[in-house]
Amino acid sequence: MAPRDLKIPAQRHPEKARRPNNPQPKKPDWIRVKAPGGKGYAETARIMRENKLVTVCEEAGCPNVGECWSQGHATMMIMGEVCTRACTFCNIATGKPPEALDAFEPGRVAHAVEKLGLNHVVITSVDRDDVEDGGADHFAQTIRAIRHRSPETTIEILTPDFIKCGPEALEVVVAARPDVFNHNLETVPGLYPEVRPGARYFHSLRLLQRVKELDPAMFTKSGIMVGLGEDKQAVMQVMDDMRAADIDFLTIGQYLQPTPKHHRVDRFVHPDEFAAYEKAAFGKGFLMVSATPLTRSSYHAGDDFARLRAARNRKLGIA
């Protein structure tokens, strides 16, 4: 049998192939971004290819890839490029991953971080429900490898929910001491059956709460998309739930539909509404908030981390 061609949408998302097409509405002016290119972009691409690394920037079709890569900022995606979940918003390939975890990948990631000279790096992954610990030890190995090669680099991880694993999976990741532990709630609880069918809202919330219980000094972060069909009241409730779990940093961005087979865009949220969400979130006690149409989990993550640390120091009365 011929291998899958992940560039073909029907092979990339076999579970979506029979879904009816959702029309993709025209994007408003405030969503426009420049096409990627330039010397910095090409150099980042070269380092990724040389180290055989996958990036969520490309796999998820992020609109900010041109800006971030031109500055050498790429979010590396570990554990392969096929996800065992099938969220209806996501453009990452889905199905049964064809390969086991690559024991040499943590070293290649660490080498790329060193070559790029990153002050702050974001590491994410596909879901690997086929692996007993969900890839927790692989995350820990990657964190340790980066620490060894680039001890000054701050590390942010964006993890799966480890829903099919025992509690020790999360403990292994937290024990590796990333600087920021991010896990996205993605949407409001009422939309989970349609948008995130393999996940559970309160499990994800509890995961982030447990990170703080295991290491109260670790920064926690989570994000949602808007424009999926939620209302403002539901967004405010998610903020309250996150603060009850002591989450430090909230990101809110506009959902953009990758293909006609994906979840439809309900509406394009105006920048003024994002500004109102940001103001409300700071009022609820988040240390850091990023809420704009083009906000993504790792967009401007390094600058935001510096502000996050400064905000905590101010709160603790540390100069």
Side-chain angles (χ1 to χ4, degrees):
M1 198 167 88
R4 286 171 69 184
D5 184 346
L6 299 184
K7 291 185 173 65
I8 299 171
Q11 292 189 36
R12 189 175 181 82
H13 305 287
E15 82 294 339
K16 295 182 178 74
R18 294 191 176 150
R19 286 170 60 107
N21 283 352
N22 286 316
Q24 292 173 280
K26 185 171 179 287
K27 292 174 187 154
D29 292 342
W30 62 80
I31 296 284
R32 313 281 176 196
V33 291
K34 281 200 295 194
K39 189 177 173 186
Y41 178 91
E43 179 63 8
T44 301
R46 183 185 66 78
I47 291 169
M48 293 302 113
R49 298 295 90 82
E50 277 184 3
N51 289 281
K52 299 185 176 64
L53 296 175
V54 180
T55 70
V56 75
C57 323
E58 296 166 288
E59 297 301 314
C62 180
N64 305 315
V65 64
E67 179 187 345
C68 295
W69 280 34
S70 67
Q71 296 163 17
H73 299 158
T75 298
M76 292 168 221
M77 191 170 80
I78 59 176
M79 305 200 287
E81 56 186 331
V82 177
C83 185
T84 53
R85 303 283 174 89
C87 299
T88 60
F89 65 85
C90 185
N91 200 35
I92 289 167
T94 53
K96 186 175 186 298
E99 70 286 297
L101 298 183
D102 178 354
F104 297 103
E105 184 176 54
R108 293 201 308 275
V109 170
H111 180 71
V113 170
E114 185 181 38
K115 289 288 271 187
L116 288 163
L118 298 180
N119 296 320
H120 185 82
V121 64
V122 183
I123 307 294
T124 190
S125 77
V126 291
D127 276 283
R128 288 296 298 257
D129 293 320
D130 59 318
V131 177
E132 191 174 347
D133 72 348
D137 187 61
H138 202 76
F139 260 103
Q141 300 270 16
T142 304
I143 293 164
R144 287 194 287 269
I146 295 167
R147 290 267 185 253
H148 179 70
R149 297 285 291 255
S150 305
E152 300 301 311
T153 301
T154 49
I155 301 171
E156 180 171 327
I157 56 169
L158 173 55
T159 76
D161 59 13
F162 304 117
I163 200 168
K164 299 189 176 178
C165 312
E168 63 282 354
L170 181 65
E171 290 159 16
V172 163
V173 180
V174 173
R177 302 290 306 276
D179 296 281
V180 181
F181 191 110
N182 185 2
H183 171 66
N184 284 332
L185 295 185
E186 305 291 10
T187 187
V188 304
L191 289 174
Y192 261 56
E194 163 60 21
V195 173
R196 231 185 146 207
R200 299 292 176 268
Y201 177 78
F202 287 104
H203 172 86
S204 285
L205 203 56
R206 176 70 184 127
L207 183 91
L208 289 154
Q209 188 177 34
R210 275 198 72 227
V211 172
K212 280 288 196 202
E213 291 167 3
L214 292 165
D215 186 347
M218 192 171 289
F219 289 110
T220 51
K221 178 176 175 180
S222 190
I224 62 168
M225 298 166 288
V226 288
L228 284 157
E230 72 298 318
D231 60 27
K232 292 179 189 177
Q233 186 180 350
V235 173
M236 294 298 177
Q237 184 61 56
V238 169
M239 289 184 197
D240 289 338
D241 292 346
M242 285 187 183
R243 287 304 303 133
D246 202 18
I247 292 166
D248 298 304
F249 187 168
L250 167 66
T251 62
I252 306 177
Q254 170 71 51
Y255 167 60
L256 298 175
Q257 186 181 335
T259 75
K261 299 294 185 187
H262 283 75
H263 188 90
R264 68 183 180 84
V265 174
D266 179 69
R267 68 189 180 104
F268 288 107
V269 177
H270 192 274
D272 291 349
E273 193 173 321
F274 279 100
Y277 283 142
E278 180 178 299
K279 186 177 179 183
F282 275 121
K284 290 175 186 291
F286 288 96
L287 288 178
M288 183 69 201
V289 182
S290 177
T292 71
L294 288 171
T295 290
R296 296 295 180 268
S297 288
S298 30
Y299 188 44
H300 295 164
D303 295 339
D304 286 347
F305 176 71
R307 286 199 282 273
L308 181 64
R309 198 156 46 181
R312 176 185 281 175
N313 289 345
R314 281 196 303 275
K315 188 176 176 182
L316 297 175
I318 302 167

